[in-house]
Amino acid sequence: SFGEDEGGEDDLEIRPAVVTVMGHVDHGKTRLLDSIRSAKVGEGEAGGITQHIGAYQITVPVDEVDRTITFIDTPGHEAFTAMRARGAKSTDIAIIVVAADDGVMPQTVEAINHAQAADVPIVVAVNKIDKEGAQPDKIRGQMTEYGLVPEEYGGDTMFVDISAKQGLNIDSLLEAVVLTADASLDLRANPDMDAQGVAIEAHLDRGRGPVATVLIQRGTLRVGDSIVAGDAYGRVRRMVDEHGEDVEEATPSRPVQVIGLTSVCGAGDTLMVVDEDRTARQIADKRNARKRNALAARSRRRISLEDLDSHLKETSQLNLIIKGDNAGTVEALEEALMGIEIDDEVQLRVIDRGVGAVTETNVNLAAASDAVIIGFNVRAEGKSTELANREGVDIRYYSIIYQAIDEIESALKGMLKPIYEEKKLGQAEIRQLFRSSKLGNIAGCMVLDGIIRRNAKARLIRDGKVVVEEMTVSSLRREKDDVTEVREGFECGLTVTYSDIKIGDVIETYELVEKPRD
Ligand code: GDP
């Protein structure tokens, strides 16, 4: 879950609770959010909350200590669910609003289900108690059926009777939120690391370009940071808060509008800071490519000469992240893996290691660096499996070291890419040109050496220079017959997948053959 798994105990600092308001339509969610916002303006908050950025923070005194709470400023559970579906945990506590004159309704139940599924503690706001038909006790009875037993009946859910319209008991509700957070959550995060957050809203602004409201979850986001959010990237040019003021840095649980992404990211996308712009771009490009790949049917790739070149030069690397149940096994596993004998072309790199469950942070890093995660005697925590599936990250679990070694070894063997060599087939000179309505330009040729083969790759040579690198002999005839090959010293008629051919041009055909490995 968010904020707790980075750095040592000493690095963790208290962060404000993040709250979402949910409930049935017309029960007063919007009114409640307005009322909380404006109650705080009345108390002379600097500038007041003037901007709808998708979230805001307020401060309340609880037991004489000023406590900050972050509110997600989108009523309803759609945003909550959308983010959860994308693996982002954006909320610590849910306020479920029930109108005292109406009672538990279908969307109330849905909201309870969402919060409970996400393991988010609930505070119940019994709203509209100013109304005549208000029956707050009846609401308490109804909610008990869904496992929400009021404290006054011996349960552990706090119920607060409010009137969003009259601004009644809003402070008690905020206090209940803080007390619930204190009782059931450990809200701490490490502010001294590169920031991570979740985009809760994003849009294209006419003047400012792509704008994303980001809720910081760990670390501190600063102006100038290189960032990636989903498949968008950029650099933080400016940050603006809910008071419309510029901010230089944002710490955990702080919502800020971030200006500087080059495209609009999605709500629920994870934002992270990377070392430099180039890395941000690479990660975003990779994610874009992955998205495209997932969409496009996998067609067999044609090998171009450039590819051939890079096949020969490229060294492959398998990146690993190792998570284990204790420091000893992690170390042992890493040593054993590094001992695997592999070809020079393939490298094995352990880019991160640690004790404990596979976290979303691990998955994000793996996605960003194309790494495979190895979990040794550990499981995936929270939403990390979901995130891994979405990002196409491979998590492999083992409890026996040699099995891990065996599998990684075979993975490395599988990574040895085939090497292709060009094998020259032959050359033919164009002696005559014919025009066919069906086939286009037909070249009457003399095979000068070797063979010309139908469907073979070909290049066009004019005055001793290659003018076309990539074409194919698409039809081949000897006399009146379609043939697959014509040998040296014979005439033939052929067409190529390039129309601007001339008498005197030479067509050279070749093929790519896989070089055997031992
Ligand atoms: P939402 O759909 O849950 O966001 O509900 P709204 O906040 O839009 O409220 C629906 C209606 O109930 C509006 O007409 C509000 O003015 C009214 N309303 C909200 N809270 C209260 C309240 O505490 N008392 C009364 N009398 N009306 C309220």
Side-chain angles (χ1 to χ4, degrees):
S1 69
F2 94 59
E4 285 110 36
D5 56 350
E6 284 296 326
E9 271 298 293
D10 295 345
D11 302 321
L12 300 179
E13 286 179 21
I14 305 270
R15 61 171 183 82
V18 180
V19 181
T20 298
V21 175
M22 300 197 280
H24 196 71
V25 64
D26 279 346
H27 279 198
K29 301 178 291 294
T30 311
R31 196 73 192 249
L32 174 60
L33 281 163
D34 290 348
S35 152
I36 295 168
R37 199 189 299 117
S38 56
K40 293 300 128 186
V41 175
E43 286 166 27
E45 191 99 358
I49 298 170
T50 56
Q51 310 284 309
H52 256 284
I53 66 167
Y56 61 79
Q57 281 191 328
I58 51 104
T59 301
V60 271
V62 177
D63 295 335
E64 288 166 26
V65 179
D66 275 345
R67 304 290 298 268
T68 301
I69 307 174
T70 304
F71 278 90
I72 304 284
D73 203 3
T74 319
H77 54 254
E78 290 78 10
F80 181 83
T81 321
M83 277 183 241
R84 230 163 74 68
R86 308 191 70 168
K89 179 161 183 178
S90 54
T91 297
D92 300 307
I93 291 189
I95 292 180
I96 294 190
V97 180
V98 195
D101 63 336
D102 197 19
V104 172
M105 298 300 278
Q107 284 171 289
T108 318
V109 178
E110 225 174 282
I112 297 170
N113 289 339
H114 283 300
Q116 288 175 341
D119 223 0
V120 167
I122 292 169
V123 172
V124 180
V126 181
N127 192 29
K128 307 197 187 183
I129 53 156
D130 59 288
K131 285 184 99 170
E132 282 224 345
Q135 289 183 280
D137 286 336
K138 190 175 138 203
I139 307 297
R140 283 171 173 71
Q142 287 179 336
M143 294 296 263
T144 307
E145 291 169 36
Y146 300 94
L148 298 172
V149 183
E151 271 193 331
E152 53 265 48
Y153 298 166
D156 48 20
T157 304
M158 297 187 78
F159 282 64
V160 185
D161 294 342
I162 63 161
S163 166
K165 189 177 176 183
Q166 298 182 346
L168 197 72
N169 284 347
I170 302 301
D171 279 345
S172 311
L173 179 66
L174 299 177
E175 189 176 324
V177 166
V178 170
L179 295 177
T180 301
D182 289 351
S184 45
L185 302 166
D186 177 20
L187 298 179
R188 295 186 299 165
N190 179 4
D192 296 321
M193 55 181 286
D194 284 344
Q196 274 179 36
V198 58
I200 53 179
E201 199 206 272
H203 67 275
L204 187 63
D205 182 278
R206 270 197 176 194
R208 300 180 297 171
V211 172
T213 297
V214 175
L215 181 64
I216 307 301
Q217 300 184 305
R218 312 180 170 90
T220 300
L221 186 64
R222 296 188 171 84
V223 171
D225 281 347
S226 302
I227 50 172
V228 195
D231 53 20
Y233 71 96
R235 188 191 283 205
V236 182
R237 229 171 45 224
R238 243 187 102 190
M239 290 193 287
V240 179
D241 67 11
E242 64 271 39
H243 308 292
E245 282 170 15
D246 273 67
V247 234
E248 284 303 310
E249 45 178 57
T251 50
S253 296
R254 186 102 185 83
V256 274
Q257 260 192 343
V258 172
I259 296 146
L261 284 168
T262 54
S263 61
V264 179
C265 67
D269 277 343
T270 303
L271 171 134
M272 59 179 188
V273 169
V274 293
D275 56 346
E276 52 177 353
D277 293 358
R278 203 169 36 153
T279 317
R281 190 197 187 118
Q282 274 170 1
I283 295 170
D285 284 352
K286 238 175 220 168
R287 287 181 177 168
N288 267 311
R290 205 177 287 137
K291 206 157 80 179
R292 276 198 306 274
N293 280 347
L295 293 173
R298 276 171 188 258
S299 61
R300 224 185 105 94
R301 216 159 122 254
R302 233 172 43 135
I303 297 160
S304 70
L305 287 179
E306 293 91 282
D307 284 345
L308 184 71
D309 213 20
S310 63
H311 266 299
L312 298 172
K313 284 188 201 131
E314 200 179 341
T315 57
S316 308
Q317 181 167 302
L318 179 61
N319 289 335
L320 292 178
I321 295 173
I322 304 178
K323 292 304 286 279
D325 53 345
N326 65 62
T329 48
V330 172
E331 201 177 307
L333 192 57
E334 183 168 354
E335 272 171 15
L337 288 169
M338 296 322 281
I340 296 178
E341 295 225 345
I342 44 174
D343 228 287
D344 287 346
E345 283 170 60
V346 182
Q347 284 174 21
L348 186 65
R349 249 185 75 201
V350 177
I351 58 167
D352 194 18
R353 65 200 53 72
V355 175
V358 176
T359 63
E360 289 175 52
T361 314
N362 298 145
V363 176
N364 281 325
L365 176 65
S369 45
D370 262 342
V372 171
I373 301 178
I374 297 197
F376 196 78
N377 280 333
V378 293
R379 310 306 310 166
E381 160 196 281
K383 308 290 168 300
S384 30
T385 303
E386 230 173 282
L387 184 63
N389 291 340
R390 211 173 51 239
E391 296 284 340
V393 169
D394 193 5
I395 309 182
R396 287 159 179 266
Y397 300 100
Y398 305 95
S399 50
I400 300 166
I401 288 201
Y402 76 75
Q403 268 178 1
I405 309 295
D406 272 5
E407 274 202 36
I408 298 303
E409 200 166 353
S410 3
L412 285 165
K413 292 219 172 97
M415 280 181 73
L416 293 174
K417 292 194 186 119
I419 296 175
Y420 293 91
E421 286 182 318
E422 181 180 320
K423 197 179 127 201
K424 209 166 175 184
L425 292 173
Q427 289 190 336
E429 190 185 276
I430 302 178
R431 300 265 163 97
Q432 279 177 296
L433 283 175
F434 310 97
R435 184 151 262 295
S436 145
S437 54
K438 239 183 7 199
L439 295 171
N441 281 341
I442 301 176
C445 295
M446 166 60 80
V447 181
L448 302 175
D449 69 339
I451 56 169
I452 294 296
R453 182 178 292 164
R454 180 153 52 95
N455 290 332
K457 288 176 169 297
R459 55 176 68 99
L460 192 70
I461 300 167
R462 185 170 295 163
D463 302 326
K465 274 186 261 163
V466 177
V467 288
V468 181
E469 261 300 351
E470 283 254 8
M471 53 184 207
T472 308
V473 177
S474 43
S475 79
L476 185 63
R477 279 192 166 191
R478 165 113 193 89
E479 309 282 334
K480 293 246 171 303
D481 303 321
D482 283 315
V483 291
T484 50
E485 278 182 12
V486 179
R487 325 199 133 266
E488 181 179 330
F490 290 94
E491 291 186 313
C492 61
L494 58 81
T495 59
V496 287
T497 53
Y498 178 75
S499 57
D500 187 21
I501 49 176
K502 293 198 169 87
I503 290 175
D505 286 351
V506 170
I507 292 168
E508 179 176 88
T509 64
Y510 63 94
E511 61 183 1
L512 296 175
V513 289
E514 196 173 320
K515 198 173 156 186
R517 290 178 183 278
D518 28 48

